[in-house]
Amino acid sequence: MQLYNTLSAAERTVMIDDAGKQRLTLSFYAYAQIKNPTQFRNELFLAWNPLGVLGRIYVANEGINAQLSLPADHFYAFKDTIEAYNFMKDIRLNIAVEQDDHSFLKLTIKVRDKIVADGLEDETFDVTNIGIHLKAKDFNELLEDPDTIVVDMRNHYESEIGHFTSAIKPDVDTFRESLPIIEEQLAEHKQDKKLLMYCTGGIRCEKASAYFKHKGFENVYQLEGGIIEYTRQVKAEGLESKFIGKNFVFDHRLGERITDDIVSQCHQCGKACDVHTNCANEGCHLLFIQCEECKTAMEGCCSTECTTVIHLPEEEQKAIRRGIKNGNKIFKKGKSEVLTFKNNIESHSVYVAEEPKPAAKKELKVKKQYIGKGTHFYPKANIGQFLIEENEIKIGDTILIKGSTTGEQQMVLDEMFVNEMASEKAVSGDTCTFKLPFRIRLSDKLYKILV
């Protein structure tokens, strides 16, 4: 019985590309009483692995916290797996603002003491006694109330690239640090002010709102669904976005663009920039903001020391980092002394370039859709035959034929035979034959290039 990943990230990347299917990145959470988290974890893995679900999921006695991606055509099958549990029926799924097929490259489901580490050992604390949820429109209105104090419940590396304009942004590394700090700072306003909180997807505010009510705050509110759901509602309802900049996300993208405002700066040169990266030295892996110019000059590293390390032989690099465990330290190290502009007070200002430079062009990955596989080839006539297993192709489509010997060959279909008769279109179950300027192999795969 397979209960863990067996493929590497590189192997999974190839599989995703070869599948040619659009993936959805989404997140959700639920506080609940789970008696046997380990059994629950194993049930989820067995249900999700066959569906191609990839992501980072934490389960505990207090509930589940999930960030994941899955093939879009498996969405409803996935939804059925979570709604099999009563506490997740009709659960809100936060669909990512920006989609990326490679947002997650493995399925990791871990059992934790808590789904949100809070450092609390108070048995009288009721995590279900939460504050009032606000949708985007009501949240915007409450922001304008002079008796409102809005607090960012995220960490320093999240709020530095995007936030609500009037928010208090605690300079903390972890959620557990923020709770006593905020309580102390706002102790005089437990009755006379409205405490308004937000985070990425809502899970931290859910616990924080209950915590502050437990500590005597009378008017506690939270942004329903966090920044992700707020952005969706703002777009759907044509509202003004009071959130500016980027929303930090915990996958390889490290951020989703919400508005064009740049509210942070390169940690190395001070230039307006909001692109997070991890130091190229695997023994460091420091999370920091780096502009394109510094990325080129520093070879993706945070310091000259690290640029030296990455040019050492691989064995020497491994010897240097042997025994080093980065883990969550990659975020704490974001305040490293090697970063000249990290703690500059100006980093909390808003920078908007008068004439923004065009973004550096990224190498575009070909979007393709799996169609079928080779079933026969004719060496002399250069004709290929394919079994259409999914979707369809028609005259005028650009197709891609891919195989270990064939390589990757693209061409436009201008003539084809379907089930031995000339036809304009081939659908699932058909046998399709057409002329080729090259030879194929029986292991070759057929894809349609998507515009």
Side-chain angles (χ1 to χ4, degrees):
M1 183 183 297
Q2 181 190 340
L3 292 173
Y4 299 92
N5 287 281
T6 58
L7 297 177
S8 68
E11 290 171 323
R12 186 70 70 178
T13 299
V14 173
M15 285 188 64
I16 290 173
D17 288 341
D18 285 350
K21 293 184 176 182
Q22 179 188 0
R23 297 182 67 87
L24 285 177
T25 299
L26 57 87
S27 61
F28 67 90
Y29 69 89
Y31 284 100
Q33 294 297 320
I34 299 177
K35 293 182 179 180
N36 190 333
T38 300
Q39 179 183 331
F40 178 57
R41 177 258 175 221
N42 292 343
E43 290 173 0
L44 293 180
F45 192 96
L46 291 172
W48 291 353
N49 194 45
L51 296 178
V53 175
L54 304 172
R56 186 187 303 111
I57 298 93
Y58 299 128
V59 297
N61 289 116
E62 69 174 9
I64 180 171
N65 179 19
Q67 297 89 38
L68 53 84
S69 79
L70 73 156
D73 57 359
H74 289 171
F75 175 77
Y76 289 105
F78 166 77
K79 200 162 182 253
D80 287 342
T81 68
I82 59 177
E83 293 197 343
Y85 299 90
N86 287 332
F87 73 90
M88 289 194 286
K89 285 188 181 296
D90 300 320
I91 193 171
R92 182 184 57 249
L93 301 176
N94 287 325
I95 306 298
V97 176
E98 298 175 349
Q99 293 296 330
D100 187 319
D101 289 345
H102 302 95
S103 56
F104 293 100
L105 295 175
K106 60 181 178 179
L107 176 58
T108 302
I109 309 178
K110 294 184 177 181
V111 176
R112 291 285 180 85
D113 291 334
K114 297 183 179 182
I115 57 174
V116 176
D118 52 29
L120 302 176
E121 299 295 338
D122 186 349
E123 294 183 0
T124 66
F125 171 49
D126 180 6
V127 72
T128 64
N129 183 25
I130 59 175
I132 299 171
H133 286 83
L134 295 178
K135 295 187 180 299
K137 184 175 182 296
D138 295 329
F139 189 88
N140 278 359
E141 290 178 358
L142 202 56
L143 283 175
E144 303 301 320
D145 188 330
D147 289 327
T148 293
I149 298 176
V150 58
V151 180
D152 192 322
M153 294 306 303
R154 302 171 303 155
N155 304 326
H156 68 88
Y157 50 88
E158 300 173 80
S159 61
E160 69 180 339
I161 62 170
H163 50 256
F164 283 94
T165 52
S166 56
I168 295 173
K169 303 181 290 295
D171 187 19
V172 295
D173 297 316
T174 63
F175 173 74
R176 69 173 68 192
E177 290 178 62
S178 66
L179 295 177
I181 290 175
I182 295 169
E183 182 190 0
E184 181 180 353
Q185 288 183 349
L186 304 181
E188 297 179 359
H189 301 294
K190 291 185 177 182
Q191 285 79 38
D192 66 330
K193 296 291 183 181
K194 300 180 181 70
L195 178 56
L196 182 58
M197 294 173 292
Y198 68 91
C199 58
T200 306
I203 186 170
R204 283 175 281 187
C205 288
E206 197 88 351
K207 179 170 283 190
S209 69
Y211 172 81
F212 290 119
K213 288 185 68 176
H214 180 66
K215 290 296 182 176
F217 286 81
E218 295 183 359
N219 304 297
V220 182
Y221 301 84
Q222 63 194 88
L223 179 57
E224 182 179 279
I227 300 162
I228 298 174
E229 176 63 13
Y230 174 86
T231 302
R232 188 195 69 77
Q233 291 179 19
V234 162
K235 291 180 178 179
E237 299 173 26
L239 305 174
E240 177 188 359
S241 177
K242 301 288 187 178
F243 184 96
I244 58 174
K246 292 171 73 174
N247 179 30
F248 186 95
V249 292
F250 291 87
D251 56 57
H252 87 96
R253 297 170 298 158
L254 296 177
E256 296 179 321
R257 172 68 60 194
I258 306 301
T259 71
D260 293 332
D261 304 289
I262 300 176
V263 301
S264 53
Q265 58 191 152
C266 173
H267 288 162
Q268 293 176 317
C269 72
K271 175 184 176 182
C273 178
D274 56 9
V275 179
H276 270 112
T277 189
N278 288 113
C279 179
N281 174 14
E282 290 296 329
C284 172
H285 215 230
L286 171 68
L287 180 78
F288 68 109
I289 295 176
Q290 187 178 51
C291 68
E292 283 297 321
E293 289 81 355
C294 289
K295 181 178 181 179
T296 300
M298 299 296 292
E299 299 180 84
C301 292
C302 67
S303 65
T304 53
E305 180 182 357
C306 285
T307 58
T308 301
V309 171
I310 65 172
H311 290 294
L312 294 174
E314 182 63 25
E315 288 306 313
E316 289 188 40
Q317 291 188 48
K318 288 181 180 178
I320 290 173
R321 64 177 181 258
R322 190 167 292 126
I324 295 176
K325 295 182 179 179
N326 289 318
N328 289 331
K329 292 181 181 178
I330 62 175
F331 302 121
K332 289 176 180 271
K333 286 167 62 180
K335 297 180 180 179
S336 170
E337 293 180 358
V338 303
L339 302 176
T340 308
F341 290 88
K342 167 60 187 176
N343 290 314
N344 189 317
I345 191 170
E346 292 298 320
S347 66
H348 295 290
S349 300
V350 177
Y351 294 81
V352 182
E354 293 180 4
E355 295 182 5
K357 294 182 179 179
K361 290 185 178 179
K362 296 180 180 179
E363 183 180 347
L364 296 176
K365 294 184 179 179
V366 175
K367 286 281 188 181
K368 57 184 184 292
Q369 185 180 67
Y370 180 71
I371 300 297
K373 61 183 179 182
T375 56
H376 189 58
F377 70 100
Y378 307 85
K380 293 182 180 180
N382 286 350
I383 294 176
Q385 186 179 86
F386 294 85
L387 174 63
I388 309 302
E389 295 185 308
E390 298 180 19
N391 305 304
E392 64 179 41
I393 52 174
K394 61 182 182 298
I395 298 298
D397 283 344
T398 300
I399 60 171
L400 168 69
I401 298 172
K402 181 178 179 180
S404 56
T405 302
T406 305
E408 296 190 14
Q409 304 283 352
Q410 288 191 32
M411 59 174 285
V412 176
L413 277 177
D414 55 12
E415 182 183 15
M416 66 177 173
F417 287 81
V418 179
N419 303 327
E420 300 184 355
M421 296 184 63
S423 179
E424 295 284 321
K425 183 170 72 172
V427 299
S428 179
D430 288 341
T431 298
C432 181
T433 307
F434 44 82
K435 293 181 180 179
L436 297 171
F438 51 86
R439 296 181 182 180
I440 70 163
R441 301 293 184 271
L442 297 186
S443 59
D444 286 357
K445 301 285 176 48
L446 174 65
Y447 300 88
K448 179 168 67 175
I449 301 300
L450 302 177
V451 179

